[in-house]
Amino acid sequence: MALKLKIRKGDKVVVRAGRDKGKVGEVLRVYPEDNRALVQGVNVVRKHQKQTPGQEGGIVSKEMPIHISNIALRDPKDGKPTRVGYKTLKDGKKVRFAKSSGEVIDG
């Protein structure tokens, strides 16, 4: 079952658990059906690639998706991990905000 995710493509996130703990990266893609996100420079694995007419063979490094529970949005104010909430502005627009600082993330 896919949940409503509070992290979107383009967000700056901090890895909270795993071998890349503490790294900061940008979300490249979100997979809501698997509760995973692809983060730039995080969870990089080396794969043995078979040669095809389109690309060369050998060992290539590529990023793999990381579980949503292991990443947290980066607070725009101080750069620390924060939880995300929703609030409605006076003009009726619904926006995300950082719970630790109250700073609006998008909008």
Side-chain angles (χ1 to χ4, degrees), residues 51-56:
Q51 186 173 358
T52 62
Q55 61 188 160
E56 200 174 313

Side-chain angles (χ1 to χ4, degrees), residues 2 8 19 36 44 52 56 58 63 73 79 81 83 85-86 89 92 107:
R8 297 182 189 157
R19 72 168 182 227
R36 292 182 173 272
V44 177
T52 62
E56 200 174 313
E63 293 131 350
L73 199 76
R83 294 184 306 167
Y86 288 96
L89 300 177

Side-chain angles (χ1 to χ4, degrees), residues 4 6 12 16 25 31 35 40 52 56-57 65 67 71-74 78 81 84 95 98 106:
K4 170 91 170 82
K6 296 180 178 182
K12 298 279 187 210
R16 299 184 66 188
Y31 302 95
N35 291 324
Q40 187 175 19
T52 62
E56 200 174 313
H67 200 270
I71 58 177
L73 199 76
R74 191 168 175 232
D78 59 8
V84 181
V95 293
D106 49 14

Side-chain angles (χ1 to χ4, degrees), residues 36-39 42-45 47 62-66:
R36 292 182 173 272
L38 188 66
V39 181
V42 173
N43 197 21
V44 177
V45 297
K47 292 191 66 132
K62 66 183 273 187
E63 293 131 350
M64 298 297 284
I66 187 170

Side-chain angles (χ1 to χ4, degrees), residues 65-82:
I66 187 170
H67 200 270
I68 289 289
S69 66
N70 295 332
I71 58 177
L73 199 76
R74 191 168 175 232
D75 195 325
K77 208 173 227 180
D78 59 8
K80 293 181 180 175
T82 183

